């Protein structure tokens, strides 16, 4: 298992890149180039994370045995990925272009609109029913699906059982209501906050905190035209509520720390200094290995709001290069990458939840062997909130996230900050 910042996103939790889905860049990994030890006759499958490479190579070995088609797994690290891919796809038939490649939901629309992607609904429509619906929905546009779901994550609540038991907190029933004088989350976070321990990780985190809280309070994120629509009564309520947890109640770590270090809250949890940590399966490996029996921890449902609990679900797909000459081989590779058999190594090696529904148990079993029940993440994926969409969503995120950080640190009121963020974000996407 690897962190979200290696598999699904690639940026700091508090940054815009963390909102991509799908999910710090790989600390290792290099681009394989034709003529430098690679097979010139092989299809090229490009990913951005070196830790997933071994799982794919195991999978593709069997694909080659059955199809006779060789595949080279090429790793282009995240910092270079989104610069190199558009250049390579501008001439999709060139030797430098990949045949199949990873995409995230905040970036796929620009390639789809440019006609660079294979229409999955047209080529593999019969397989759609086998894939995680929330991820299928993320990559469906103009009536078609534009990528084969590979890995995904959702949000739940890690809790320190030693701390919650001592404070009399039931982490399985936590909810928030910005219009109430208090609520279960504020009460629990207050009870947990003492002796250098914080209660809850209210932070400027698009995937784990902002998105779920907005959706759970009935606020929109984007409208039908892919423009931001969070400047609403419900949206302002959420940012005011979260900022108050940090700056007024002081039951959450300082935004001066969490804004600059996306792992700050997770590290506090590992140190036994945070009772409730809302996050995704991307945190599992680090928490499991780092806590190493120092205290008992488990996973509960994410915090619910007036509209229920609405997780963000982020996913990565394998997209096909529509400009490659050998489309038959490209489609065969996509079909394999979308099959249960093709995805089992991703779960069995603990990389992430596989996109094929019938392969997901392999990831559950991996963590069951470690003594961890991850079923809450599967439950969370059944009722997702909206993720980022649109060809310019990355530009929008780069504009809004710094403004959100100012709200969390207390430099802007929720009313001022939400309005400013929406205006600047929409201007960036116009």
């Amino acid at each position: 298992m690897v962190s979200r910042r290696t598999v699904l996103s690639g940026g700091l939790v508090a940054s815009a890149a963390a909102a991509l889905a799908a999910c710090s860049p790989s600390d290792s990994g290099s681009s394989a180039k034709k003529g430098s030890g690679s097979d010139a006759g092989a299809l090229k499958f490009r990913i951005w994370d070196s830790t997933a490479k071994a799982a794919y190579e195991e999978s593709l070995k069997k694909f080659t045995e059955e199809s006779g088609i060789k595949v080279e797994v090429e790793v282009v690290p995240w910092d270079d990925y989104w610069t190199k891919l558009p250049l390579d796809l501008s001439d999709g038939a060139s030797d430098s272009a990949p045949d199949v490649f990873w995409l995230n939901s905040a970036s796929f629309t620009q390639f789809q609109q440019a006609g660079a992607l294979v229409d999955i609904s047209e080529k593999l429509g019969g397989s759609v029913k086998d894939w995680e619906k929330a991820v299928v929905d993320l990559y469906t546009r103009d009536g078609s699906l534009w990528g084969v779901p590979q890995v995904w994550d959702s949000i739940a609540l890690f809790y320190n059982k030693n701390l919650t038991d001592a404070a009399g907190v039931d982490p399985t029933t936590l909810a928030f209501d910005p219009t109430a004088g208090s609520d279960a989350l504020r009460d629990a976070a207050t009870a947990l906050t003492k002796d250098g321990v914080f209660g809850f990780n209210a932070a400027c985190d698009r995937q784990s905190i902002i998105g779920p809280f907005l959706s759970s309070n009935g606020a929109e994120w984007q409208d039908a035209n892919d423009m931001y629509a969070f400047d609403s009564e419900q949206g302002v309520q959420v940012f005011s509520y979260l900022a108050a947890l940090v700056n007024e109640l002081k039951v959450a770590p300082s935004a001066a720390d969490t804004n600059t270090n996306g792992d700050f809250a997770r590290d506090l949890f590992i140190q036994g200094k945070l009772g409730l940590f809302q996050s995704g399966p991307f945190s599992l490996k680090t928490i499991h290995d780092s806590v190493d029996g120092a205290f008992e921890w488990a996973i509960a449902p994410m915090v619910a709001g007036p509209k229920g609990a609405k997780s963000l679900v982020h996913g990565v797909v394998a997209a096909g290069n529509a400009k490659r000459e050998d489309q038959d081989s490209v489609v065969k590779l996509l079909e394999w990458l979308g099959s249960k058999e093709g995805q089992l190594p991703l779960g069995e090696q603990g990389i992430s939840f596989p996109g094929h529904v019938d392969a997901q148990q392999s990831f559950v079993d991996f963590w069951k062997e470690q003594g961890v029940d991850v079923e809450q993440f599967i439950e969370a994926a059944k009722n997702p909130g909206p993720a980022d969409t649109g060809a310019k969503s990355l530009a929008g995120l780069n504009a809004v996230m710094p403004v959100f950080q100012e709200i969390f640190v207390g430099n802007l009121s929720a009313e001022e900050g939400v309005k400013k963020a929406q205006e600047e974000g929409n201007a960036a996407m116009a």
Side-chain angles (χ1 to χ4, degrees), residues 109 113 141 222-228 389-391 393 426 429:
T109 304
Q113 291 181 345
R141 194 173 182 91
Q222 288 172 281
D223 61 22
N225 296 315
D226 297 328
M227 303 302 283
Y228 291 130
T389 59
S393 60
N426 284 339
M429 294 192 295

Side-chain angles (χ1 to χ4, degrees), residues 186-417:
R186 280 178 282 192
D187 291 345
T190 300
L192 288 162
T193 302
K194 59 182 179 180
D195 301 328
V197 173
F198 289 102
F200 180 68
N201 65 312
C204 189
D205 181 331
R206 162 75 178 117
Q207 182 175 5
S208 298
I209 302 295
I210 293 174
F213 272 76
L214 286 173
S215 295
S216 298
N217 197 47
E220 287 188 88
W221 178 249
Q222 288 172 281
D223 61 22
N225 296 315
D226 297 328
M227 303 302 283
Y228 291 130
F230 48 71
D231 184 13
S232 62
E233 180 180 5
Q234 295 89 344
V236 171
Q237 286 173 351
V238 163
F239 281 95
S240 179
Y241 179 94
L242 292 170
L245 293 179
V246 178
N247 301 307
E248 296 175 22
L249 295 178
K250 300 187 184 302
V251 297
S254 167
D257 292 317
T258 57
N259 280 352
T260 55
N261 180 359
D263 292 328
F264 189 83
R266 184 204 65 192
D267 292 345
L268 283 182
F269 184 81
I270 288 168
Q271 296 161 16
K273 297 179 180 179
L274 180 67
L276 305 169
F277 177 54
Q278 187 156 293
S279 188
F282 39 81
S283 295
L284 275 166
K285 175 68 172 174
T286 302
I287 289 174
H288 176 269
D289 291 352
S290 301
V291 172
D292 193 25
F295 57 85
E296 188 176 354
W297 61 274
I299 303 170
M302 61 173 285
V303 177
K307 301 298 182 181
K310 285 189 168 288
S311 169
L312 258 65
V313 175
H314 281 160
V316 170
V317 294
N321 183 342
K323 297 180 182 179
R324 301 305 276 181
E325 183 176 349
D326 188 1
Q327 284 294 295
D328 183 59
S329 292
V330 169
V331 172
K332 286 180 180 178
L333 175 54
L334 288 168
E335 184 176 22
W336 174 262
L337 291 172
S339 68
K340 175 184 177 181
E341 189 172 16
Q343 292 191 13
L344 278 174
L346 293 170
E348 291 170 344
Q349 294 186 26
I351 301 300
S352 193
F353 280 104
H356 195 292
V357 174
D358 291 341
Q360 290 174 11
Q361 188 63 39
S362 63
F363 186 73
V364 174
D365 291 343
F366 174 90
W367 280 105
K368 185 179 292 184
E369 291 179 4
Q370 317 300 318
V372 180
D373 182 353
V374 298
E375 293 285 352
Q376 290 298 339
F377 294 115
I378 295 177
E379 288 300 310
K382 296 177 180 178
N383 187 29
D388 298 273
T389 59
K392 297 183 177 181
S393 60
L394 180 57
L397 286 165
N398 283 333
V400 303
M401 292 303 288
V403 183
F404 289 163
Q405 288 184 337
E406 291 297 296
I407 299 174
F408 276 82
V409 85
N411 290 339
L412 285 175
S413 69
E415 292 82 0
E416 295 173 303

Side-chain angles (χ1 to χ4, degrees), residues 21-94:
C23 294
S24 84
S26 298
D27 53 5
S28 62
S30 59
S31 300
K33 301 183 186 298
K34 293 196 176 188
S36 59
S38 61
D39 191 327
L43 294 182
K44 186 190 296 183
F45 176 35
R46 182 178 295 178
I47 63 177
W48 58 70
D49 185 74
S50 60
T51 55
K53 185 177 182 181
Y56 275 123
E57 287 179 338
E58 178 184 329
S59 168
L60 292 169
K61 181 179 179 180
K62 188 161 188 179
F63 170 71
T64 299
E65 291 173 353
E66 294 185 2
S67 68
I69 301 170
K70 296 180 180 180
V71 183
E72 166 195 349
V73 181
E74 176 191 49
V75 179
V76 175
W78 177 270
D79 284 346
D80 301 321
Y81 198 91
W82 303 107
T83 302
K84 185 171 175 56
L85 186 63
L87 292 174
D88 289 339
L89 292 184
S90 64
D91 180 5
S94 71

